[in-house]
Amino acid sequence: MNRDPITPATEPVGPDGFTLRERAWLKAASDDMAELNDLLAERGSGRRFGIGPDTPPAPSPLWVAARRSAAWLDAANGASERETQMRLMKISEELGEVMQAYIGAVGQNPRKGITHKPEDVAAELCDVIMSAAVALHRFADSPEQAMAEHAAQVVARIEALTTSPSHAE
């Protein structure tokens, strides 16, 4: 039997959104947390750990990557005003790459034709978002919370606009 190895990219995902391997890890983690909670209870601690609705969600990969990138840049480049300017300029540079990919995806330049795919545009948009998230670390003590609050305000504005009587028709 010559089977291709199962890798994280090819492992089938079940209806719960987890692969078999991930389900096994989740079960092991849950068992370990139960053991830890028993140990804490024996010691009289009121603290508990778990996986479930009472457990705070893990940080999103975006904010983990942005935090690590910001820390790496701080260590490498310092925290000067110039460094802040460079991080803001990086957003513009990435936006230029979005436009370059879009022009290539629609074939706007007849000399070059179609040079990019929609996936390229999406990847460049992700770079803009990441660059903005890294830069946000300079202006907010908790960038993830700042973004969540801003997003909630946007949703509230949209809901107010779409539920007003003038938009009901």
Side-chain angles (χ1 to χ4, degrees):
M1 265 200 271
N2 217 355
R3 290 187 186 174
D4 290 330
I6 292 180
T7 67
T10 61
E11 191 171 355
V13 175
D16 60 356
F18 293 105
T19 65
L20 229 81
R21 188 181 337 204
E22 291 166 338
R23 275 196 288 295
W25 290 335
L26 191 58
K27 170 89 171 83
S30 182
D31 292 346
D32 288 346
M33 277 191 258
E35 193 175 322
L36 174 63
N37 286 334
D38 290 344
L39 189 69
L40 289 169
E42 285 175 24
R43 293 186 178 165
S45 172
R47 187 148 190 201
R48 296 289 177 269
F49 296 92
I51 298 175
D54 296 333
T55 306
S60 95
L62 167 67
W63 294 109
V64 170
R67 187 171 29 261
R68 287 182 183 168
S69 296
W72 175 66
L73 288 168
D74 287 346
N77 299 339
S80 68
E81 184 63 29
R82 182 179 184 283
E83 180 61 20
T84 300
Q85 294 165 357
M86 297 307 291
R87 292 184 197 183
L88 293 170
M89 283 188 264
K90 179 70 174 168
I91 299 167
S92 294
E93 185 254 338
E94 294 295 346
L95 184 58
E97 291 180 18
V98 169
M99 296 314 303
Q100 180 182 11
Y102 181 74
I103 288 168
V106 297
Q108 176 64 29
N109 184 336
R111 184 176 56 84
K112 293 182 180 179
I114 294 185
T115 59
H116 290 75
K117 299 177 186 167
E119 296 83 18
D120 298 322
V121 179
E124 296 301 342
L125 285 167
C126 290
D127 285 345
V128 170
I129 293 166
M130 182 61 68
S131 295
V134 171
L136 185 56
H137 279 75
R138 291 298 181 128
F139 300 96
D141 292 332
S142 175
E144 189 171 6
Q145 181 179 348
M147 187 65 208
E149 290 171 1
H150 184 76
Q153 291 172 354
V154 170
V155 168
R157 281 196 307 265
I158 292 169
E159 287 177 356
L161 289 170
T162 58
T163 58
S164 70
S166 64
H167 288 88
E169 297 172 24

